[in-house]
PDB file of all heavy atoms in Angstrom:
ATOM      1  N   LEU A  95     -22.695 -16.217   2.995  1.00  0.00           N
ATOM      2  CA  LEU A  95     -23.778 -17.282   3.186  1.00  0.00           C
ATOM      3  C   LEU A  95     -23.973 -17.500   4.740  1.00  0.00           C
ATOM      4  O   LEU A  95     -25.061 -17.567   5.242  1.00  0.00           O
ATOM      5  CB  LEU A  95     -23.420 -18.542   2.502  1.00  0.00           C
ATOM      6  CG  LEU A  95     -24.425 -19.697   2.720  1.00  0.00           C
ATOM      7  CD1 LEU A  95     -25.817 -19.327   2.282  1.00  0.00           C
ATOM      8  CD2 LEU A  95     -23.867 -20.929   1.998  1.00  0.00           C
ATOM      9  N   ALA A  96     -22.838 -17.611   5.362  1.00  0.00           N
ATOM     10  CA  ALA A  96     -22.880 -17.876   6.872  1.00  0.00           C
ATOM     11  C   ALA A  96     -23.472 -16.639   7.523  1.00  0.00           C
ATOM     12  O   ALA A  96     -24.376 -16.845   8.474  1.00  0.00           O
ATOM     13  CB  ALA A  96     -21.380 -18.098   7.509  1.00  0.00           C
ATOM     14  N   ILE A  97     -23.150 -15.475   7.187  1.00  0.00           N
ATOM     15  CA  ILE A  97     -23.727 -14.311   7.893  1.00  0.00           C
ATOM     16  C   ILE A  97     -25.147 -14.153   7.464  1.00  0.00           C
ATOM     17  O   ILE A  97     -25.968 -13.669   8.450  1.00  0.00           O
ATOM     18  CB  ILE A  97     -22.897 -13.037   7.355  1.00  0.00           C
ATOM     19  CG1 ILE A  97     -21.560 -12.971   7.939  1.00  0.00           C
ATOM     20  CG2 ILE A  97     -23.717 -11.703   7.712  1.00  0.00           C
ATOM     21  CD1 ILE A  97     -20.721 -11.936   7.422  1.00  0.00           C
ATOM     22  N   THR A  98     -25.558 -14.530   6.337  1.00  0.00           N
ATOM     23  CA  THR A  98     -27.012 -14.488   5.906  1.00  0.00           C
ATOM     24  C   THR A  98     -27.869 -15.498   6.850  1.00  0.00           C
ATOM     25  O   THR A  98     -28.872 -15.074   7.359  1.00  0.00           O
ATOM     26  CB  THR A  98     -27.236 -14.782   4.407  1.00  0.00           C
ATOM     27  OG1 THR A  98     -26.511 -13.823   3.618  1.00  0.00           O
ATOM     28  CG2 THR A  98     -28.657 -14.846   4.128  1.00  0.00           C
ATOM     29  N   VAL A  99     -27.359 -16.664   6.982  1.00  0.00           N
ATOM     30  CA  VAL A  99     -27.974 -17.638   7.879  1.00  0.00           C
ATOM     31  C   VAL A  99     -28.149 -17.128   9.270  1.00  0.00           C
ATOM     32  O   VAL A  99     -29.223 -17.223   9.884  1.00  0.00           O
ATOM     33  CB  VAL A  99     -27.397 -18.987   7.774  1.00  0.00           C
ATOM     34  CG1 VAL A  99     -27.887 -19.973   8.760  1.00  0.00           C
ATOM     35  CG2 VAL A  99     -27.394 -19.589   6.358  1.00  0.00           C
ATOM     36  N   LEU A 100     -27.022 -16.558   9.885  1.00  0.00           N
ATOM     37  CA  LEU A 100     -27.105 -16.124  11.153  1.00  0.00           C
ATOM     38  C   LEU A 100     -28.038 -14.953  11.361  1.00  0.00           C
ATOM     39  O   LEU A 100     -28.659 -14.807  12.345  1.00  0.00           O
ATOM     40  CB  LEU A 100     -25.633 -15.793  11.670  1.00  0.00           C
ATOM     41  CG  LEU A 100     -24.692 -16.946  11.891  1.00  0.00           C
ATOM     42  CD1 LEU A 100     -23.276 -16.459  12.081  1.00  0.00           C
ATOM     43  CD2 LEU A 100     -25.162 -17.916  12.922  1.00  0.00           C
ATOM     44  N   SER A 101     -28.047 -14.127  10.250  1.00  0.00           N
ATOM     45  CA  SER A 101     -29.004 -12.927  10.427  1.00  0.00           C
ATOM     46  C   SER A 101     -30.368 -13.393  10.404  1.00  0.00           C
ATOM     47  O   SER A 101     -31.250 -12.743  11.034  1.00  0.00           O
ATOM     48  CB  SER A 101     -28.709 -12.007   9.171  1.00  0.00           C
ATOM     49  OG  SER A 101     -29.192 -12.514   8.003  1.00  0.00           O
ATOM     50  N   LEU A 102     -30.763 -14.527   9.635  1.00  0.00           N
ATOM     51  CA  LEU A 102     -32.053 -14.954   9.701  1.00  0.00           C
ATOM     52  C   LEU A 102     -32.410 -15.593  11.106  1.00  0.00           C
ATOM     53  O   LEU A 102     -33.550 -15.461  11.560  1.00  0.00           O
ATOM     54  CB  LEU A 102     -32.215 -16.112   8.629  1.00  0.00           C
ATOM     55  CG  LEU A 102     -32.172 -15.673   7.213  1.00  0.00           C
ATOM     56  CD1 LEU A 102     -32.379 -16.792   6.269  1.00  0.00           C
ATOM     57  CD2 LEU A 102     -33.122 -14.442   6.880  1.00  0.00           C
ATOM     58  N   VAL A 103     -31.366 -16.228  11.704  1.00  0.00           N
ATOM     59  CA  VAL A 103     -31.603 -16.642  13.069  1.00  0.00           C
ATOM     60  C   VAL A 103     -31.940 -15.505  14.074  1.00  0.00           C
ATOM     61  O   VAL A 103     -32.887 -15.518  14.742  1.00  0.00           O
ATOM     62  CB  VAL A 103     -30.401 -17.432  13.594  1.00  0.00           C
ATOM     63  CG1 VAL A 103     -30.534 -17.832  15.106  1.00  0.00           C
ATOM     64  CG2 VAL A 103     -30.192 -18.737  12.779  1.00  0.00           C
ATOM     65  N   LEU A 104     -31.232 -14.373  13.874  1.00  0.00           N
ATOM     66  CA  LEU A 104     -31.365 -13.254  14.711  1.00  0.00           C
ATOM     67  C   LEU A 104     -32.767 -12.565  14.388  1.00  0.00           C
ATOM     68  O   LEU A 104     -33.500 -12.228  15.289  1.00  0.00           O
ATOM     69  CB  LEU A 104     -30.264 -12.207  14.535  1.00  0.00           C
ATOM     70  CG  LEU A 104     -30.418 -10.848  15.292  1.00  0.00           C
ATOM     71  CD1 LEU A 104     -30.508 -11.069  16.818  1.00  0.00           C
ATOM     72  CD2 LEU A 104     -29.227  -9.980  14.911  1.00  0.00           C
ATOM     73  N   ALA A 105     -33.141 -12.482  13.153  1.00  0.00           N
ATOM     74  CA  ALA A 105     -34.440 -11.949  12.795  1.00  0.00           C
ATOM     75  C   ALA A 105     -35.550 -12.739  13.287  1.00  0.00           C
ATOM     76  O   ALA A 105     -36.583 -12.136  13.613  1.00  0.00           O
ATOM     77  CB  ALA A 105     -34.463 -11.861  11.145  1.00  0.00           C
ATOM     78  N   THR A 106     -35.323 -14.040  13.279  1.00  0.00           N
ATOM     79  CA  THR A 106     -36.405 -14.936  13.850  1.00  0.00           C
ATOM     80  C   THR A 106     -36.597 -14.734  15.369  1.00  0.00           C
ATOM     81  O   THR A 106     -37.691 -14.626  15.847  1.00  0.00           O
ATOM     82  CB  THR A 106     -36.087 -16.398  13.595  1.00  0.00           C
ATOM     83  OG1 THR A 106     -36.027 -16.667  12.144  1.00  0.00           O
ATOM     84  CG2 THR A 106     -37.195 -17.355  14.080  1.00  0.00           C
ATOM     85  N   ALA A 107     -35.460 -14.529  16.013  1.00  0.00           N
ATOM     86  CA  ALA A 107     -35.471 -14.349  17.490  1.00  0.00           C
ATOM     87  C   ALA A 107     -36.129 -13.143  17.861  1.00  0.00           C
ATOM     88  O   ALA A 107     -36.768 -12.991  18.889  1.00  0.00           O
ATOM     89  CB  ALA A 107     -33.972 -14.422  17.962  1.00  0.00           C
ATOM     90  N   VAL A 108     -35.996 -12.017  17.061  1.00  0.00           N
ATOM     91  CA  VAL A 108     -36.611 -10.719  17.441  1.00  0.00           C
ATOM     92  C   VAL A 108     -37.971 -10.575  16.840  1.00  0.00           C
ATOM     93  O   VAL A 108     -38.660  -9.551  16.910  1.00  0.00           O
ATOM     94  CB  VAL A 108     -35.676  -9.556  16.979  1.00  0.00           C
ATOM     95  CG1 VAL A 108     -34.356  -9.703  17.712  1.00  0.00           C
ATOM     96  CG2 VAL A 108     -35.507  -9.534  15.470  1.00  0.00           C
ATOM     97  N   GLY A 109     -38.405 -11.608  16.061  1.00  0.00           N
ATOM     98  CA  GLY A 109     -39.776 -11.553  15.495  1.00  0.00           C
ATOM     99  C   GLY A 109     -39.985 -10.873  14.191  1.00  0.00           C
ATOM    100  O   GLY A 109     -41.074 -10.587  13.762  1.00  0.00           O
ATOM    101  N   SER A 110     -38.900 -10.537  13.458  1.00  0.00           N
ATOM    102  CA  SER A 110     -39.017  -9.807  12.144  1.00  0.00           C
ATOM    103  C   SER A 110     -39.027 -10.834  11.032  1.00  0.00           C
ATOM    104  O   SER A 110     -39.116 -10.296   9.924  1.00  0.00           O
ATOM    105  CB  SER A 110     -37.910  -8.701  12.082  1.00  0.00           C
ATOM    106  OG  SER A 110     -36.685  -9.273  12.106  1.00  0.00           O
ATOM    107  N   TYR A 111     -38.915 -12.087  11.276  1.00  0.00           N
ATOM    108  CA  TYR A 111     -38.841 -13.031  10.178  1.00  0.00           C
ATOM    109  C   TYR A 111     -39.621 -14.299  10.727  1.00  0.00           C
ATOM    110  O   TYR A 111     -39.387 -14.715  11.878  1.00  0.00           O
ATOM    111  CB  TYR A 111     -37.353 -13.437   9.871  1.00  0.00           C
ATOM    112  CG  TYR A 111     -37.320 -14.466   8.702  1.00  0.00           C
ATOM    113  CD1 TYR A 111     -37.495 -14.039   7.453  1.00  0.00           C
ATOM    114  CD2 TYR A 111     -36.770 -15.685   8.984  1.00  0.00           C
ATOM    115  CE1 TYR A 111     -37.427 -14.974   6.359  1.00  0.00           C
ATOM    116  CE2 TYR A 111     -36.595 -16.633   7.877  1.00  0.00           C
ATOM    117  CZ  TYR A 111     -36.902 -16.194   6.610  1.00  0.00           C
ATOM    118  OH  TYR A 111     -36.722 -17.152   5.610  1.00  0.00           O
ATOM    119  N   GLU A 112     -40.410 -14.875   9.888  1.00  0.00           N
ATOM    120  CA  GLU A 112     -41.260 -16.063  10.159  1.00  0.00           C
ATOM    121  C   GLU A 112     -40.802 -17.197   9.374  1.00  0.00           C
ATOM    122  O   GLU A 112     -41.272 -17.377   8.205  1.00  0.00           O
ATOM    123  CB  GLU A 112     -42.704 -15.685  10.079  1.00  0.00           C
ATOM    124  CG  GLU A 112     -43.615 -16.883  10.501  1.00  0.00           C
ATOM    125  CD  GLU A 112     -45.089 -16.543  10.342  1.00  0.00           C
ATOM    126  OE1 GLU A 112     -45.473 -15.365  10.049  1.00  0.00           O
ATOM    127  OE2 GLU A 112     -45.953 -17.476  10.390  1.00  0.00           O
ATOM    128  N   PRO A 113     -39.941 -18.082   9.875  1.00  0.00           N
ATOM    129  CA  PRO A 113     -39.509 -19.216   9.044  1.00  0.00           C
ATOM    130  C   PRO A 113     -40.549 -20.308   9.081  1.00  0.00           C
ATOM    131  O   PRO A 113     -41.308 -20.426  10.022  1.00  0.00           O
ATOM    132  CB  PRO A 113     -38.227 -19.670   9.722  1.00  0.00           C
ATOM    133  CG  PRO A 113     -38.432 -19.279  11.171  1.00  0.00           C
ATOM    134  CD  PRO A 113     -39.300 -18.041  11.189  1.00  0.00           C
ATOM    135  N   ASP A 114     -40.464 -21.196   8.114  1.00  0.00           N
ATOM    136  CA  ASP A 114     -41.272 -22.346   8.038  1.00  0.00           C
ATOM    137  C   ASP A 114     -40.446 -23.435   7.381  1.00  0.00           C
ATOM    138  O   ASP A 114     -40.294 -23.440   6.125  1.00  0.00           O
ATOM    139  CB  ASP A 114     -42.596 -22.258   7.368  1.00  0.00           C
ATOM    140  CG  ASP A 114     -43.374 -23.465   7.300  1.00  0.00           C
ATOM    141  OD1 ASP A 114     -42.938 -24.511   7.809  1.00  0.00           O
ATOM    142  OD2 ASP A 114     -44.490 -23.374   6.717  1.00  0.00           O
ATOM    143  N   PHE A 115     -39.984 -24.430   8.107  1.00  0.00           N
ATOM    144  CA  PHE A 115     -39.081 -25.407   7.442  1.00  0.00           C
ATOM    145  C   PHE A 115     -39.753 -26.505   6.779  1.00  0.00           C
ATOM    146  O   PHE A 115     -39.164 -27.521   6.147  1.00  0.00           O
ATOM    147  CB  PHE A 115     -38.125 -26.043   8.557  1.00  0.00           C
ATOM    148  CG  PHE A 115     -37.245 -24.982   9.110  1.00  0.00           C
ATOM    149  CD1 PHE A 115     -37.424 -24.410  10.355  1.00  0.00           C
ATOM    150  CD2 PHE A 115     -36.166 -24.492   8.348  1.00  0.00           C
ATOM    151  CE1 PHE A 115     -36.563 -23.464  10.852  1.00  0.00           C
ATOM    152  CE2 PHE A 115     -35.301 -23.546   8.887  1.00  0.00           C
ATOM    153  CZ  PHE A 115     -35.540 -23.014  10.144  1.00  0.00           C
TER     154      PHE A 115
END
Side-chain angles (χ1 to χ4, degrees):
L95 178 59
I97 291 174
T98 299
V99 172
L100 291 173
S101 73
L102 294 182
V103 172
L104 177 58
T106 301
V108 300
S110 60
Y111 183 70
E112 184 181 346
D114 179 2
F115 294 104

